[in-house]
Amino acid sequence: MDLSRTLLVIWVTASFIFQNSNNVEGRFHYHKKQKNKTPPAASPPKPPGHSSPAIPPPAIPSDPHPNDPGNSCVFDVTSFGAVGDGAADDTSAFIAAWKAACAVESGVVLAPADYSFKITSTIFSGPCKPGLVFQVDGVLMPPKGPNSWPKADSRKQWLVFYQLDHMTFTGKGTIEGNGQEWWALPCKPHRGPNGSTMPGPCDSPALIRFFMSSNLVVSGLKIQNSPQFHMKFDGCDGVLIEKLSISSPKLSPNTDGIHIENTKSVGIYNTMIGNGDDCISIGPGCSDVDIEGVTCGPSHGISIGSLGVHNSRACVSNITVRNAVIKESDNGLRIKTWQGGTGSVTGISFENIQMENVMNCVIIDQYYCLSKACLNETSAVYVTDVAFRNIKGTYDVRSPPIHFACSDTIACTNITLSDVELLPHEGELVDDPFCWNAYGNQETLTIPPITCLRDGDPQKVVELSQYGCYG
């Protein structure tokens, strides 16, 4: 009997241990797995490629971390306490989900569909494990207007992604900027009495900023109504942007769609942008930028610059814009520099661009100034090797469709025009394109005819090495 009783106790104890070993939950790595919520892998760029670019495309990253649903760790912000009713402050839940996802490979911060999350100005910083994804399938937004903005928070930016490598920002949702009250500040251009601009503090936050990061993918999102710039990339290397929708009203001030500066190896593809300022703006320190399949307008067009402000040095090189549409815009393809700057803009190709009722379709402006107080200066950013090929469509007759205003002392050189055909959207043909100290060649006759572009090179030939960008 004693032996049988002993064997029975051993058998019951072993069964209990085995049964409970199948029900152990992790105590130190809690996350809620979501069915059918794993993020779609961002597709590598697939440009239409109607013709080969004049400049080889840069080394744009493809999706650096395709997500295997079986391996991804999904951190749903609602599991960390996010309410998602559009009123509650969900900042702490997003920070907690970020920290958890940052600590594992292929971690996913998920803001699920059918929720509206409000968070305050936040820096999501690395370094993190590779393959991190920030996926927004619902609505993500800041507080509404200056009066609701926490006094302790920065008014210069809202969402900041800092020191990250191999990170994706994606989803099927909306980033809502709630910019209306910011646009109405009297310090904004022409928002004061009788169309004036009032003095006073005027900081307005950029909606999304990537800073000092590399190998980034931004795809699929709808981004709208930013208080200021919708997206900024500063000090980044390797950026793929595709299939975005960026929008704000035509008269919303300073709402650039995508702005890059001090950033290299960028691809922007198959994206729709309509806003109150530059559709895409390329600042100093940028190189190897490939833009294709972008529809832009209403806007201020695609701009390189402004460059050289406050006598600064600016270097921009190897920029390609292809197979794009610009419509109902104040400018088309623009290079703008301040007097007194140094540096250079070189290796620029605009190809296969359709214009629809655009002012200043093709413009180089080396006298850019925001007031009437700018003085003439002898130094300038050197503009050379700029090609405009197959630029066609209609222009607004209130200004000439082609405008090359180059520095008095440093001419623009090697401007190439080929198959440029621009007709008035309404009214009479404007047949007086403007040129000043601009040199280049016409591979074909242009419409309207341009006779002011000088052949050959100026007497004073400039070496790029003189401007501190190369050599």
Side-chain angles (χ1 to χ4, degrees):
M1 291 293 295
D2 291 340
L3 177 61
S4 299
R5 188 173 299 154
T6 301
L7 291 174
L8 178 62
V9 169
I10 293 172
W11 180 81
V12 170
T13 303
S15 299
F16 177 78
I17 292 172
F18 177 78
Q19 179 180 2
N20 281 275
S21 68
N22 293 325
N23 293 316
V24 175
E25 294 185 8
R27 293 177 175 83
F28 303 105
H29 180 60
Y30 174 77
H31 61 274
K32 181 179 179 181
K33 292 188 177 180
Q34 302 292 311
K35 294 182 180 180
N36 301 321
K37 290 289 188 177
T38 52
S43 302
K46 297 179 180 179
H50 291 61
S51 59
S52 299
I55 303 163
I60 309 302
S62 60
D63 181 4
H65 36 258
N67 289 292
D68 179 353
N71 295 327
S72 294
C73 297
V74 179
F75 298 87
D76 186 327
V77 295
T78 62
S79 298
F80 291 83
V83 178
D85 63 356
D89 183 353
D90 292 323
T91 308
S92 60
F94 273 78
I95 292 173
W98 173 269
K99 289 180 178 179
C102 179
V104 300
E105 289 193 11
S106 301
V108 180
V109 177
L110 176 65
D114 303 319
Y115 292 90
S116 294
F117 301 99
K118 184 180 76 173
I119 68 173
T120 59
S121 178
T122 304
I123 298 175
F124 295 101
S125 62
C128 294
K129 295 286 188 179
L132 180 62
V133 176
F134 194 118
Q135 179 170 331
V136 178
D137 288 338
V139 176
L140 184 59
M141 61 186 178
K144 289 186 178 180
N147 294 332
S148 300
W149 204 263
K151 291 183 179 180
D153 286 0
S154 169
R155 288 198 173 203
K156 294 184 179 296
Q157 53 204 13
W158 176 52
L159 289 186
V160 180
F161 297 97
Y162 175 58
Q163 283 195 335
L164 295 165
D165 184 40
H166 289 97
M167 180 249 180
T168 293
F169 187 35
T170 189
K172 299 178 181 179
T174 299
I175 311 298
E176 171 56 60
N178 289 331
Q180 292 82 353
E181 293 182 26
W182 297 94
W183 306 332
L185 289 173
C187 57
K188 295 293 184 179
H190 313 299
R191 293 289 173 175
N194 300 318
S196 64
T197 299
M198 301 293 288
C202 207
D203 285 340
S204 300
L207 201 59
I208 302 162
R209 184 188 184 200
F210 287 89
F211 182 50
M212 299 296 292
S213 297
S214 57
N215 301 309
L216 303 169
V217 176
V218 183
S219 67
L221 293 162
K222 182 178 182 180
I223 305 169
Q224 63 188 31
N225 299 323
S226 176
Q228 202 199 47
F229 290 13
H230 287 78
M231 298 189 73
K232 295 178 70 174
F233 295 83
D234 188 1
C236 297
D237 190 350
V239 178
L240 170 62
I241 301 168
E242 63 175 351
K243 298 178 182 177
L244 298 184
S245 171
I246 299 175
S247 63
S248 61
K250 183 177 182 179
L251 297 180
S252 56
N254 307 122
T255 53
D256 292 49
I258 299 170
H259 175 76
I260 61 174
E261 60 182 80
N262 301 311
T263 292
K264 301 175 181 179
S265 299
V266 179
I268 304 174
Y269 303 119
N270 304 320
T271 288
M272 306 277 291
I273 304 174
N275 59 330
D277 211 304
D278 292 335
C279 169
I280 298 171
S281 54
I282 300 170
C286 292
S287 62
D288 301 323
V289 178
D290 190 41
I291 300 169
E292 182 165 10
V294 170
T295 298
C296 182
S299 73
H300 292 185
I302 297 174
S303 292
I304 297 173
S306 62
L307 305 174
V309 65
H310 303 312
N311 304 106
S312 61
R313 181 171 66 93
C315 301
V316 174
S317 63
N318 298 338
I319 313 295
T320 300
V321 181
R322 297 173 287 159
N323 306 322
V325 176
I326 302 176
K327 57 186 180 181
E328 306 295 334
S329 296
D330 289 353
N331 298 285
L333 306 168
R334 178 166 61 156
I335 299 172
K336 51 181 178 177
T337 72
W338 295 77
Q339 292 189 78
T342 59
S344 65
V345 176
T346 182
I348 313 300
S349 175
F350 300 108
E351 184 176 4
N352 299 336
I353 312 295
Q354 182 68 31
M355 303 281 182
E356 298 177 12
N357 194 24
V358 174
M359 293 179 64
N360 303 311
C361 295
V362 172
I363 178 170
I364 298 174
D365 179 10
Q366 296 214 267
Y367 299 88
Y368 184 72
C369 180
L370 295 179
S371 70
K372 296 181 180 179
C374 297
L375 301 175
N376 287 335
E377 300 195 39
T378 56
S379 64
V381 177
Y382 177 37
V383 178
T384 186
D385 295 331
V386 182
F388 301 92
R389 291 188 169 90
N390 198 27
I391 314 297
K392 298 181 179 181
T394 61
Y395 63 90
D396 186 319
V397 298
R398 288 176 292 176
S399 62
I402 301 172
H403 186 98
F404 297 140
C406 299
S407 166
D408 287 338
T409 54
I410 302 171
C412 303
T413 62
N414 201 20
I415 298 172
T416 301
L417 299 173
S418 178
D419 291 318
V420 176
E421 299 178 7
L422 298 167
L423 298 172
H425 182 73
E426 293 179 343
E428 297 295 325
L429 179 72
V430 175
D431 59 357
D432 56 346
F434 177 83
C435 306
W436 179 258
N437 210 18
Y439 290 78
N441 69 91
Q442 299 179 64
E443 295 180 347
T444 63
L445 294 177
T446 64
I447 300 174
I450 180 169
T451 59
C452 57
L453 186 66
R454 299 183 182 183
D455 293 330
D457 295 314
Q459 291 182 348
K460 179 182 178 182
V461 178
V462 176
E463 295 292 335
L464 284 176
S465 58
Q466 294 178 236
Y467 286 82
C469 294
Y470 310 93

